Amino acid sequence: LALLLLLHFRCEAQTSVLRVASPWNFTTAPINGAKLLDRSRAPLRTRSRYIIDNRGERVKWACVNWYGAYSVKHAVGGLQVRPMIEIVGRILELGFNCVRMMYSIEGYVNNPMVDNDTVAANPQLYGLRFLDIFDVTIQTLVDAGLMVIINNH
C-alpha cells in the first residue's frame, strides 16, 4: 500500500493560481489535538509500519476526510454554505493535523467547470474548473499548516 503525501499540489496544466488569504501563521497555528508538522521535517516516508520525517522521527497523523471533490459536483463539500477558510479553521479547531483529499479520474482528465452554486459561499471560486479549485483547497490547507493526503477515489 502506497500513500502519497503532498505538502503542496500544483497542476502543471493550470495557468494561474488563486490563493485564499490565510490568517494563520504556520508556526503558531492554534491546535488542541495533533501536532502540526514543521515544514523543515518534510518530506515524510515510511519505515516498517510507521510514518517518519526526514530526521527518522515518527509522525502521527490525525486525519479527516474532506468529501466531495470526487463527486459529480467536483468540489469539496461545504463550500456552498461556508467560506473555505472557515472550514479549514474548524479542521484545526477540532485537533486534526492532516486532511485526506479525494479526487476522481473524470475530474482530473476532463477538468470540468464547477457550478457557482457548488461554491456559493466562496465567490472567489466562481467560474473556475475542478483543478483550479482543488489546487486552491490544498494550498489553503497547507497554508494553515495541515498535511494533505491526495487520494484517487
Side-chain angles (χ1 to χ4, degrees):
L1 173 68
L3 292 176
L4 178 59
L5 171 70
L6 297 179
L7 295 178
H8 182 69
F9 174 83
R10 173 95 42 223
C11 172
E12 294 186 20
Q14 183 175 322
T15 57
S16 65
V17 175
L18 174 68
R19 293 183 67 111
V20 176
S22 175
W24 299 287
N25 175 334
F26 176 78
T27 59
T28 61
I31 191 160
N32 297 319
K35 293 173 93 176
L36 297 177
L37 180 73
D38 183 312
R39 291 181 187 196
S40 69
R41 294 177 57 194
L44 303 181
R45 59 191 163 95
T46 59
R47 178 187 302 144
S48 181
R49 65 183 182 138
Y50 298 109
I51 299 164
I52 60 172
D53 64 16
N54 62 12
R55 299 180 203 151
E57 296 173 13
R58 188 171 172 196
V59 174
K60 292 185 180 181
W61 286 349
C63 299
V64 63
N65 289 324
W66 196 348
Y67 76 94
Y70 56 84
S71 73
V72 295
K73 299 231 178 223
H74 298 292
V76 291
L79 299 181
Q80 72 278 17
V81 293
R82 292 274 187 247
M84 183 183 298
I85 206 100
E86 285 183 20
I87 297 170
V88 172
R90 186 68 176 137
I91 291 168
L92 285 169
E93 288 171 7
L94 291 170
F96 294 101
N97 68 359
C98 175
V99 178
R100 179 177 169 233
M101 292 285 299
M102 297 153 287
Y103 72 97
S104 68
I105 294 288
E106 178 185 355
Y108 180 78
V109 171
N110 296 331
N111 196 22
M113 293 295 295
V114 175
D115 293 334
N116 289 345
D117 64 340
T118 301
V119 293
N122 295 273
Q124 75 278 13
L125 303 177
Y126 288 0
L128 294 181
R129 295 183 171 278
F130 162 72
L131 289 172
D132 298 318
I133 293 173
F134 198 70
D135 188 54
V136 169
T137 305
I138 291 172
Q139 188 62 56
T140 303
L141 292 165
V142 170
D143 287 349
L146 292 159
M147 293 176 279
V148 177
I149 299 171
I150 298 175
N151 175 236
N152 176 242
H153 192 67

